[in-house]
Amino acid sequence: MGQLKSKHHIPCVHFSANDEGLPRYASHQFDTCNQKQDGNLQIPPTIVVSDVDSSTSDHQGSRMDLRRSSFYSTLDLVPQLDNYTSTLPHQQSRSRPSLEALRKAFEEVEAGMEVPHTTTDSEVSSLPVIDSGNEESKSLQEKAPVRFGWVTGVMIRCMLNIWGVILFLRLSWIISEAGIMLTSVIILMSATVTSVTALSISAIATNGRVISGGAYFMISRSLGPEIGGPIGVVFSFANALACALNTVGFAEVVVKLMMEFGIVMVDEINDIRIVGVITVTILLLISLAGMEWESKTQILFFIVLMVSFSNYLVGTIIPPSPEKQAQGIFGYHSEIFLANLKPDWRLGNNFFQTFAIFFPSAIGILSGANISGDLKDPATAIPKGTLMAIFWTTVSYLGISFTLGSCVIRDASGNISDALTGNITDGCVGCNLGWNFTECTLSKSCQYGLANDSKVLGQISGFYYLITAGVFAASLSSALGFLVSAPKVFQCLCRDKIYPYIGFFAKGYGKNDEPLRAYILCYVIAVAFILIGKLDTIAGLISNFFLCSYSLINFSCFHASITNSPGWRPSFHYYSKWTALFGAVISVVLMFLLTWWAALITFSIIFFLFGYVNYTKPKVNWGSSVQAGTYNMALSYSVSLSGVEDHVKNFRPQCLVLTGPPNQRPALVDFVASFTKHISLMICGDIIMEEERQTRPQDATDLLVKWMNKRKVRSFYTPLSADGLRAGARNLLQASGLGKLKPNTLVLGFKSNWRESSPESIEDYINTIYDTFDSNYCLCILRMMDGLDIFDQFDFEVNQGFESDESVENDHQSPVRQSVEDISDKGDSDQIKTVFQSDQGKKTIDVYWIADDGGLTLLVPYLLTRRKLWRSSKVRVFIVGDEQNMDERRKEMIALLKRFRLDFNDVIVMTDSEKRPHSKNLSRFLDSVAPFRLWDEQQEGTLAQEFRENAPCKISDKQFEAFRLKTERKVRLNEIIRRNSQHAALVLVSLPVPQSDCPSALYMAWLDTLTCGLHCPAVLIRGNQQNVLTFYCQ
């Protein structure tokens, strides 16, 4: 093909080679006068796009965007990161050119036309002009938020929360009760649970970008809003209570220190409240100052703790004074180590009770993840910082346990006079160390030692008040960490709009998007619980809240792994789905072992919040593993169902409903949904003509599905493009469904405008009925006396082959024409209510079982009566018979219905069905069918033959006479139906099977005659002559 010529300048690219020989691409001013192009080889250009015109582009050069096209086309771009940012919040993603633009580009270039840069997104250029990531460097430096690395952002933060008051005040008592060996087991068990959870956190955090929200964000995006929402509420509340607990712990230490110096403001409990409120207020001010100040404060606390640990280690080496020896502190001794190695349970304590006391110290591993929005690289910082924090804190706990257990005995009196001056007496406590504490041990009056004094770490250290400073740092750092975590998590929850009335707290302020309103809320909650003063009962609930979060994090990782979703690709590979499952199970077990009543309360709250979210179904789509698991289960069950043979006991009417756009025929949709919902398959088929496809909105399918969801219709929607209505229906009959989930019943609306329709339209309708029976389908035709269509015009046309185009004049119908978008976007109040959504009371469902079709005529009304709206309706069965054997025929039918276990006891035998119809009704039928007759007998032979050939759809006189008797029976049956069913809620009539030589217009007239003159919906129904009911057990 020759070289393309165009009046437009073609941009060029200069190539150069670097030292490695790889090409470099450089953009230049596009001067085509000095550029030479090979006529045979054209190099794809680099495209420069700017949002300013050329006169100002040099002045605002930072707005330039350089993009490279592929070898295939100048519009077809190479892969770029910016095209994949659409899932990030507050990000405007780039758009690729649409397939239509790529297909038409070559033709338009060849024609010398401008190539439009259109995309599938409305009014969005294929080459966006603004890159949200390319801001001016000076502006970035001025407005860039504070971001932390893995050390200051995660590791130090987690270590500070793990090193709590339990380390300084309760670890010595745990060693005295459980011994060094079991204490090490307790520490390692806690580390195992936290490490497994950390591995799961790392896997989830590295499976895509993690923004603010921490544990809530991870769980909700993995397991969906149903689980994530409750955890977000519980976890935020737990962090606020944990802040209160640590503040009260700090206040208690301060008040005791004040009492040592004789300072009392009111009394002990009120002093704790006063100090606690003042402390949490100061912590709030630090938090409001911003994450930078909060981080600096945490570093200060970390330094204080390091000094405290150093002070403790130095104290274990310094030879103890007689005063310290009297308190049970002797330095490193193998005798002390061996004595403290085994447990010594007192006051009925056991392993799990001591474990329950220690484990809350491990709840701080999520502190780094909770501020994921303030980290430079959460995917790297969270795994590295969390695991390192667990490692070093575990080492420190083990180290302090061994050193403390090697230096301090369990019981000591503190009395210097207990020092031994004579010979050592066998069997006394402390005799090998030169002291005798037997008296206080036997009388249980010892005030010092591991089992009796919580201040052992301060006593053994080099300087006592440095340990006190460590207690202050540990409690305040934990309180500050929880005070920061709770608002961050709650802000993310509020922005997801899962629960009502909390959106007020979603607003962020400043460059770090600080949740100031959520800070105030957390502060109010913390102050409220601080004022209680005694939080021992709440402490177990907090531990259970955190354990519940750990369990769900581990389960999220496990569930995402077993679903085999292609989207589960964590860059952190050092995890296992089985260890994650172990972590989930052990966390639940620990919840009940620690505090069973708190575990029950936790699960009750979770289930209540879960039920609310599951009921409201928020409009969020996060690609959760639950969605992947649902797909896997559906696929697995569908495949396994293919190997199950059909059985009459399991027959279900699986319906293909030719609705067109479902929102235009709500009555047809509601009728089928009333006997298929939660029972069987329903597919709404929409046949779209070629000319209609051009004007059909691109999001029409989504809007119609939303309309059905708002109407609570459990149905699939399948649009199909076709050249004709019959061809589309035939394709749907053949291709709808999957495996055994395939329709077996076609449902149509009655063609009420058949008299005004073209012969071809009638032929399409009747031939569709032929195709239905040829495909071995059952058939239902619903006729509403006012028609099915509710609007006379839509944004896209409705297939008129199956339904009237006359609008219905109803009181509840809006006179304004509405579009599909209008109906779909409005609420439930604009949903058109039909008779099938109303309570039918004690009206009757009349079944005219004229022909034995296998039982479908009886099965459908039975399924209707299982619904609440139809439960009180009485089913009457009308059958054909004569006066001589009327009673016998009725008894036989009642016996058959009882064998079918159908509670239809009202059976009526029609003995007058063989009578001739009234002349008035017969004349009405003749008048209706007259326009479709040929009247060929009145013509000469040659002319009559020509009439038949030119109008094959019309009824010849010979055909009319041949079917006269059948016609009269249809008219007579209609008279019986109108006489007996004037006040019925629904009428079902056996559909006559069309014969191959029956003209379409005549058959259409029969269907019209059978159901005309009724004031309720009428259904013409026919099975496929195969049993759908049985009275056998096998």
Side-chain angles (χ1 to χ4, degrees):
M1 189 171 183
Q3 182 177 356
L4 298 176
K5 296 181 180 180
S6 175
K7 64 182 179 180
H8 301 289
H9 293 296
I10 301 178
C12 301
V13 179
H14 290 283
F15 292 86
S16 62
N18 55 17
D19 295 337
E20 289 78 12
L22 298 176
R24 292 200 305 263
Y25 307 105
S27 60
H28 297 269
Q29 294 294 330
F30 296 150
D31 185 4
T32 56
C33 298
N34 298 327
Q35 303 292 332
K36 295 182 180 180
Q37 296 183 353
D38 191 345
N40 297 322
L41 177 63
Q42 294 189 3
I43 300 171
T46 300
I47 302 174
V48 178
V49 182
S50 176
D51 61 343
V52 295
D53 70 357
S54 57
S55 62
T56 59
S57 60
D58 292 335
H59 180 68
Q60 300 183 16
S62 60
R63 289 287 195 182
M64 284 291 193
D65 180 22
L66 184 63
R67 306 187 71 187
R68 169 103 184 138
S69 61
S70 70
F71 291 112
Y72 299 133
S73 168
T74 55
L75 282 181
D76 207 0
L77 304 177
V78 297
Q80 300 193 42
L81 174 65
D82 296 329
N83 291 331
Y84 296 89
T85 59
S86 59
T87 56
L88 296 181
H90 314 300
Q91 283 278 357
Q92 180 181 1
S93 64
R94 298 188 183 278
S95 300
R96 305 176 186 84
S98 65
L99 290 174
E100 184 180 5
L102 292 176
R103 291 177 61 195
K104 293 183 177 180
F106 184 79
E107 299 173 1
E108 295 177 351
V109 169
E110 192 172 33
M113 298 171 59
E114 183 78 27
V115 179
H117 291 172
T118 58
T119 68
T120 54
D121 299 325
S122 59
E123 301 180 2
V124 180
S125 172
S126 64
L127 300 176
V129 296
I130 300 177
D131 182 0
S132 59
N134 291 337
E135 299 290 341
E136 296 182 4
S137 58
K138 184 181 296 185
S139 177
L140 280 173
Q141 291 176 0
E142 292 175 356
K143 299 181 180 180
V146 178
R147 293 288 184 258
F148 305 110
W150 69 273
V151 176
T152 57
V154 181
M155 188 184 76
I156 291 179
R157 193 175 298 273
C158 290
M159 292 175 73
L160 287 173
N161 278 272
I162 296 173
W163 285 329
V165 293
I166 290 177
L167 172 65
F168 291 95
L169 302 180
R170 301 302 287 168
L171 185 59
S172 58
W173 176 84
I174 294 174
I175 295 172
S176 72
E177 291 284 331
I180 298 174
M181 187 167 57
L182 289 184
T183 300
S184 301
V185 172
I186 290 173
I187 295 171
L188 292 176
M189 282 181 60
S190 302
T192 300
V193 175
T194 55
S195 297
V196 169
T197 306
L199 294 177
S200 300
I201 293 172
S202 302
I204 297 173
T206 57
N207 188 54
R209 183 175 176 183
V210 177
I211 59 173
S212 62
Y216 159 71
F217 184 87
M218 297 179 188
I219 296 174
S220 62
R221 270 52 176 182
S222 295
L223 293 179
E226 293 83 2
I227 300 296
I231 282 299
V233 175
V234 169
F235 193 66
S236 302
F237 188 67
N239 276 275
L241 293 190
C243 173
L245 275 179
N246 282 275
T247 304
V248 169
F250 167 79
E252 288 179 352
V253 176
V254 171
V255 169
K256 289 181 180 179
L257 190 61
M258 292 168 57
M259 293 175 67
E260 291 180 4
F261 290 94
I263 301 174
V264 177
M265 291 181 286
V266 183
D267 52 44
E268 183 177 358
I269 186 67
N270 285 306
D271 287 357
I272 291 175
R273 292 169 179 167
I274 294 171
V275 174
V277 171
I278 295 174
T279 303
V280 77
T281 303
I282 295 173
L283 294 179
L284 174 65
L285 295 177
I286 295 174
S287 301
L288 295 178
M291 288 298 297
E292 189 173 3
W293 282 96
E294 187 269 347
S295 179
K296 291 178 180 178
T297 306
Q298 294 283 31
I299 293 175
L300 175 63
F301 289 148
F302 183 78
I303 293 173
V304 172
L305 279 172
M306 290 296 100
V307 173
S308 298
F309 289 149
S310 302
N311 177 50
Y312 163 75
L313 293 175
V314 169
T316 60
I317 300 173
I318 297 176
S321 63
E323 290 79 8
K324 286 189 176 183
Q325 290 183 358
Q327 296 173 352
I329 302 171
F330 294 94
Y332 293 103
H333 280 273
S334 59
E335 295 87 352
I336 298 177
F337 176 79
L338 293 175
N340 290 333
L341 194 61
K342 296 180 181 179
D344 181 19
W345 305 113
R346 301 181 183 183
L347 300 176
N349 293 319
N350 55 43
F351 176 82
F352 289 107
Q353 288 178 331
T354 53
F355 181 85
I357 292 173
F358 175 81
F359 186 78
S361 66
I363 64 177
I365 63 169
L366 294 177
S367 301
N370 287 337
I371 62 162
S372 53
D374 297 299
L375 301 176
K376 293 179 182 177
D377 184 10
T380 302
I382 292 175
K384 196 173 181 179
T386 305
L387 291 173
M388 289 297 291
I390 293 174
F391 173 77
W392 287 116
T393 52
T394 303
V395 170
S396 64
Y397 271 107
L398 289 174
I400 293 176
S401 299
F402 277 88
T403 54
L404 200 60
S406 302
C407 297
V408 185
I409 62 176
R410 284 189 169 95
D411 298 290
S413 63
N415 190 353
I416 299 180
S417 63
D418 287 337
L420 288 177
T421 56
N423 295 328
I424 297 176
T425 305
D426 294 334
C428 68
V429 179
C431 294
N432 294 334
L433 302 172
W435 292 77
N436 186 2
F437 302 122
T438 305
E439 183 179 351
C440 77
T441 302
L442 295 176
S443 62
K444 298 181 181 180
S445 60
C446 296
Q447 298 180 356
Y448 294 93
L450 294 175
N452 307 293
D453 191 359
S454 61
K455 303 176 183 178
V456 172
L457 263 73
Q459 294 165 355
I460 197 176
S461 63
F463 183 65
Y464 176 84
Y465 291 106
L466 280 180
I467 296 298
T468 303
V471 175
F472 289 173
S475 57
L476 290 177
S477 63
S478 297
L480 182 59
F482 290 125
L483 183 61
V484 170
S485 297
K488 296 280 186 180
V489 174
F490 192 66
Q491 181 189 38
C492 185
L493 173 67
C494 295
R495 285 179 173 173
D496 287 337
K497 299 179 181 179
I498 295 177
Y499 295 103
Y501 312 121
I502 60 174
F504 174 79
F505 299 100
K507 185 175 177 59
Y509 296 87
K511 59 184 179 181
N512 273 67
D513 195 31
E514 296 290 349
L516 301 186
R517 296 175 179 177
Y519 276 130
I520 301 300
L521 177 64
C522 179
Y523 169 78
V524 171
I525 295 173
V527 168
F529 281 91
I530 288 172
L531 292 178
I532 296 175
K534 296 180 180 180
L535 298 176
D536 293 338
T537 55
I538 305 298
L541 193 60
I542 294 175
S543 297
N544 272 269
F545 284 168
F546 281 99
L547 275 172
C548 186
S549 302
Y550 292 176
S551 177
L552 286 174
I553 288 174
N554 284 300
F555 183 75
S556 300
C557 181
F558 168 75
H559 194 267
S561 300
I562 62 171
T563 54
N564 295 320
S565 173
W568 176 249
R569 302 184 303 274
S571 57
F572 182 84
H573 302 292
Y574 305 102
Y575 76 97
S576 169
K577 59 184 176 183
W578 302 117
T579 57
L581 179 61
F582 168 77
V585 173
I586 198 65
S587 297
V588 174
V589 171
L590 289 175
M591 289 176 66
F592 285 94
L593 288 178
L594 298 185
T595 317
W596 64 267
W597 59 266
L600 292 178
I601 293 176
T602 302
F603 280 114
S604 299
I605 295 173
I606 293 292
F607 286 138
F608 173 77
L609 296 173
F610 169 82
Y612 175 82
V613 178
N614 193 52
Y615 176 77
T616 56
K617 292 183 172 30
K619 296 179 180 179
V620 294
N621 183 13
W622 295 325
S624 66
S625 62
V626 173
Q627 294 173 331
T630 303
Y631 174 84
N632 281 353
M633 287 191 294
L635 183 62
S636 176
Y637 287 138
S638 298
V639 173
S640 61
L641 190 62
S642 300
V644 179
E645 295 184 5
D646 293 330
H647 194 282
V648 62
K649 289 199 301 182
N650 293 323
F651 176 86
R652 301 163 186 260
Q654 302 187 139
C655 298
L656 170 61
V657 193
L658 296 184
T659 59
N663 58 6
Q664 188 183 1
R665 297 193 181 94
L668 188 59
V669 173
D670 293 340
F671 165 66
V672 180
S674 60
F675 66 86
T676 60
K677 189 175 183 180
H678 301 297
I679 295 175
S680 60
L681 175 69
M682 176 180 174
I683 299 176
C684 291
D686 185 5
I687 302 171
I688 305 168
M689 299 303 191
E690 187 63 29
E691 60 273 12
E692 299 166 3
R693 190 171 65 88
Q694 305 298 330
T695 59
R696 177 182 170 87
Q698 293 180 354
D699 59 346
T701 297
D702 293 335
L703 294 175
L704 292 171
V705 170
K706 289 179 181 178
W707 180 88
M708 289 193 296
N709 291 337
K710 284 183 180 180
R711 206 172 182 83
K712 297 182 179 179
V713 174
R714 296 173 67 92
S715 172
F716 297 100
Y717 170 69
T718 304
L720 179 73
S721 299
D723 296 332
L725 297 174
R726 182 188 180 188
R730 184 186 299 166
N731 291 337
L732 285 172
L733 287 170
Q734 294 176 359
S736 295
L738 180 68
K740 289 297 178 69
L741 295 176
K742 185 177 179 62
N744 53 29
T745 304
L746 181 71
V747 183
L748 302 171
F750 181 74
K751 187 174 178 61
S752 57
N753 66 335
W754 66 278
R755 294 184 186 88
E756 295 81 26
S757 299
S758 63
E760 293 78 9
S761 178
I762 298 176
E763 281 291 314
D764 269 356
Y765 187 83
I766 300 303
N767 285 331
T768 299
I769 296 178
Y770 291 158
D771 294 337
T772 301
F773 291 131
D774 292 341
S775 301
N776 202 32
Y777 271 56
C778 306
L779 179 65
C780 291
I781 300 176
L782 174 66
R783 181 173 189 177
M784 305 292 291
M785 291 306 102
D786 293 325
L788 292 174
D789 290 350
I790 59 172
F791 302 120
D792 56 353
Q793 183 175 350
F794 278 78
D795 282 356
F796 53 91
E797 293 296 324
V798 180
N799 42 16
Q800 301 296 338
F802 297 130
E803 187 48 48
S804 169
D805 57 356
E806 299 176 359
S807 64
V808 180
E809 300 295 336
N810 291 332
D811 293 338
H812 59 260
Q813 179 181 329
S814 173
V816 182
R817 294 177 179 177
Q818 301 184 39
S819 66
V820 173
E821 292 89 337
D822 294 334
I823 298 173
S824 299
D825 291 339
K826 290 185 178 180
D828 296 337
S829 59
D830 284 349
Q831 294 269 352
I832 302 300
K833 189 172 183 180
T834 66
V835 65
F836 299 103
Q837 293 179 316
S838 303
D839 193 340
Q840 302 303 314
K842 294 186 178 181
K843 294 182 180 180
T844 62
I845 300 175
D846 292 348
V847 180
Y848 290 84
W849 198 13
I850 308 302
D852 188 357
D853 59 351
L856 184 67
T857 308
L858 297 177
L859 181 62
V860 169
Y862 165 72
L863 295 176
L864 281 172
T865 56
R866 294 173 61 177
R867 297 296 177 190
K868 182 179 180 180
L869 298 177
W870 297 82
R871 190 167 296 162
S872 301
S873 299
K874 183 180 180 181
V875 179
R876 301 190 299 177
V877 180
F878 293 82
I879 58 175
V880 177
D882 49 44
E883 294 183 1
Q884 289 78 9
N885 59 359
M886 180 178 64
D887 292 337
E888 182 180 353
R889 186 83 177 90
R890 184 175 182 274
K891 290 178 181 178
E892 288 178 357
M893 180 55 61
I894 292 176
L896 180 62
L897 295 176
K898 285 184 177 179
R899 286 196 172 191
F900 286 150
R901 303 172 303 283
L902 299 174
D903 191 18
F904 303 164
N905 295 321
D906 197 352
V907 176
I908 301 170
V909 181
M910 299 180 294
T911 59
D912 54 352
S913 60
E914 299 294 332
K915 293 182 180 181
R916 283 183 57 83
H918 294 294
S919 57
K920 180 181 178 181
N921 296 327
L922 189 58
S923 298
R924 187 184 298 115
F925 174 83
L926 294 176
D927 293 340
S928 67
V929 82
F932 298 93
R933 294 186 61 181
L934 279 174
W935 309 102
D936 52 341
E937 295 297 333
Q938 302 176 9
Q939 309 296 331
E940 297 180 359
T942 305
L943 189 59
Q945 183 65 27
E946 185 178 345
F947 268 41
R948 296 188 192 101
E949 292 177 356
N950 293 336
C953 301
K954 291 195 173 184
I955 310 167
S956 67
D957 292 345
K958 183 179 180 180
Q959 290 173 324
F960 188 80
E961 288 300 323
F963 291 105
R964 175 178 290 275
L965 181 58
K966 292 185 178 181
T967 298
E968 293 179 354
R969 289 178 177 174
K970 306 294 189 301
V971 177
R972 178 57 184 163
L973 180 57
N974 175 255
E975 292 176 354
I976 297 173
I977 294 173
R978 285 190 294 167
R979 184 183 65 206
N980 294 295
S981 303
Q982 283 297 325
H983 304 291
L986 180 67
V987 173
L988 294 96
V989 185
S990 293
L991 175 75
V993 178
Q995 297 180 5
S996 58
D997 57 345
C998 180
S1000 299
L1002 181 59
Y1003 183 71
M1004 197 71 233
W1006 287 352
L1007 301 183
D1008 189 12
T1009 299
L1010 280 172
T1011 55
C1012 70
L1014 296 177
H1015 300 289
C1016 65
V1019 180
L1020 293 165
I1021 184 170
R1022 187 77 185 203
N1024 60 357
Q1025 303 302 107
Q1026 296 177 4
N1027 289 347
V1028 301
L1029 295 174
T1030 181
F1031 46 79
Y1032 293 109
C1033 294
Q1034 61 183 12

